[in-house]
Amino acid sequence: MDSNIKRELMIENFENPFHKESKNGKEFIKANTYNASCIDNIDLYVRIKDGKIYDAYFDGEACAITISATSLMVKKIIGMTLQEARNFITEYYHMVNFENYDKTKLGNLLIYEDIAKQPSRKKCALLPVQALEKSLEICEEGGKNDK
Amino acid sequence: MNREDFLMCKDALIYLDNGATTFKPKQVINKVVDYYTKYTANCHRGDYDISQKVDFEYESTREVVRKFINADSREEIIFTSGTTESLNMIIFSFMRHYLKKGDEVLITKAEHASNVLPWFELEKEMGIVVKFIPLTRDYKVTLDNVKAVTTNKTKVISLAYITNVIGDVRPIKEISEFAHQNNILLCVDGAQSVPHMKTDVLRDDIDFLAFSAHKMLGPTGVGILYAKKKFLEVMPPFKYGGGMNIKFESTKELEYKEVPLRFEAGTQNIAGVLGLKAAIEYIESIGIEKIREHEIKLREYLIKRLKEVSNVTVYNEASESGIVIFNLDKIFAEDTANYLNHYHICVRAGNHCTKMIKDDLGVKNTCRISLYLYNTFEEIDKLIDVLKNSKNIYDIIL
């Protein structure tokens, strides 16, 4: 993908992030992730219903890469089954780690395909999926899964 | 000034994070290397020549520190691992025994974590009450504000002399006079002040002072705890072990050494302490007043030039130290720091271990510039040029 297009998409999602709002209702699973070495800190709010991600939001303070990646991820995961979400997480990790991955699973998040070339920014791009992983764990541990 | 003494002062690198740690001059590095290559031995333990040499170097550092902060006696100087350990020793050894449930301790929301969290823990443990001195609109501490929250239960005031985010110089002498008139102890976090301005614990009548070697051109892993001898005499040791005892028997009979060795259990960071000596001697060879004067001139120039950059907000214009915090409009502090890093300019982004100041400052994260003697006006010019070109920040960092 052209680097200008990638950059524009990141800036657009940083300046006008999708579903950036705290959701403190009981129906949402809240998962926080932060970077120990810097100041990115986000909360992901996921509502799981009938085995699917019914809705998702996020909030927090973070750099352009973390905010844009979280915004794009939130858009992407709404409507996914839990298995699809797990597959998405796996493919995203593969992409960021320069391993073989299925491009069809990642949509616009492909714009972070080269992020690990800047090692200090890799952790910024991983925060949203780490939050999603945590949310799924909470759900599996008997958390909220509205029937 | 003196850039030739610092191997890290390479042309391409502009280091503006001296509040975090400082470069070391070759005099300090040589002192550490000499210890490791010419007279490595433990101290206070050997009867051979090189051990005697180590004892002399180690103990004479105590005298060098005493003179540097104008303490009464070298016995009032304890070597620790850093400001954090010094403050923890004061709070968990001395204060834990001195304070009683309901006693009040005054701090501010601008204090570093090391002068907050031990107090919070002691509050949980023994029911002391930690209260905040309100800050002025410029985030400063005034004597009136101290008086406003002092009650007959106030037993300790614990403040940084210079704060690590706002960089304001607190009126410690005035506060000290007031505190002592009211039977209140004064504990001072000197991490950001001792390296940058003349410290005089007698003039300011400071009861406890904590600071670090690595923020004043010395090695990492060494700090100093100064306390008036009368307090050290009654303070229980923070650590127990070798080097701090005179005897211990199977009958459980034991005896500890006198102050200050009682507080230095285990093998100390000898190389670090010796490096600290070289650091203080180096600072004194230039003159701490001259260093401060240079920093203030740099600061004034920096503030003046930052005003030329339309999208910069400076949050602590009224402070009187080499610390300046700012943000670029609508840009996250970490992104600004990453952008500056692209031009080999090192600044700190974040909350700088001072997580409560956001309540007053209205912003959680900032970029911090902290200056020292080897910074130059040319470096500031370069920084300003880069900031002026920051319209293309995302082309650089994304």
Side-chain angles (χ1 to χ4, degrees), chain B residues 150-193:
Chain B
T150 300
T151 71
N152 57 8
K153 288 181 178 169
T154 306
K155 292 291 181 289
V156 182
I157 298 171
S158 191
L159 296 172
Y161 210 128
I162 294 181
T163 52
N164 70 312
V165 175
I166 303 300
D168 54 316
V169 183
R170 265 78 179 268
I172 291 295
K173 190 169 188 298
E174 278 179 35
I175 293 170
S176 165
E177 278 168 15
F178 167 75
H180 294 135
Q181 282 159 12
N182 291 279
N183 201 25
I184 297 167
L185 298 183
L186 178 66
C187 173
V188 174
D189 167 2
Q192 301 292 342
S193 64

Side-chain angles (χ1 to χ4, degrees), chain A residues 4 7 10-11 14-15 35 38-40 61-65 68 118 120-121 123-124, chain B residues 330-335 338 341 349-352 363-366 394-398:
Chain A
N4 285 328
R7 191 180 298 126
M10 285 183 208
I11 295 171
F14 173 61
E15 292 180 344
N35 274 327
C38 64
I39 46 183
D40 297 326
E61 279 204 36
C63 66
I65 288 175
S68 60
Q118 301 177 70
S120 65
R121 310 313 302 271
K123 58 187 190 318
C124 309
Chain B
K330 294 181 186 163
I331 308 286
F332 192 56
E334 189 195 343
D335 285 332
N338 268 300
N341 177 55
N351 49 52
H352 323 293
V363 55
K364 259 191 206 169
N365 296 301
T366 55
Y394 292 124
D395 293 345
I396 300 293
I397 64 165
L398 294 180

Side-chain angles (χ1 to χ4, degrees), chain B residues 3 28 33 82 108 114 116 123 146 160 175 199 219 250 253 259 264 298 317 325 375:
Chain B
R3 287 176 69 82
V28 168
V33 171
T108 74
S114 305
V116 175
E123 184 173 50
V146 173
I175 293 170
T199 303
S250 54
E253 192 188 341
V259 174
E264 294 176 6
L298 281 177
E317 201 179 325
I325 50 167
N375 290 124

Side-chain angles (χ1 to χ4, degrees), chain B residues 315-344:
Chain B
Y315 297 96
N316 65 336
E317 201 179 325
S319 296
E320 321 81 6
S321 71
I323 294 173
V324 175
I325 50 167
F326 74 99
N327 271 327
L328 290 172
D329 294 348
K330 294 181 186 163
I331 308 286
F332 192 56
E334 189 195 343
D335 285 332
T336 305
N338 268 300
Y339 168 70
L340 293 174
N341 177 55
H342 183 80
Y343 298 95
H344 312 293

Side-chain angles (χ1 to χ4, degrees), chain B residues 269-284:
Chain B
N269 182 350
I270 299 168
V273 168
L274 271 47
L276 166 66
K277 182 184 184 186
I280 293 177
E281 287 170 348
Y282 183 83
I283 289 171
E284 287 187 321

Side-chain angles (χ1 to χ4, degrees), chain B residues 53 214 223 228 235 237 271 307:
Chain B
K53 161 90 171 154
H214 74 100
K228 286 179 182 167
M235 181 169 105
K307 286 182 178 169

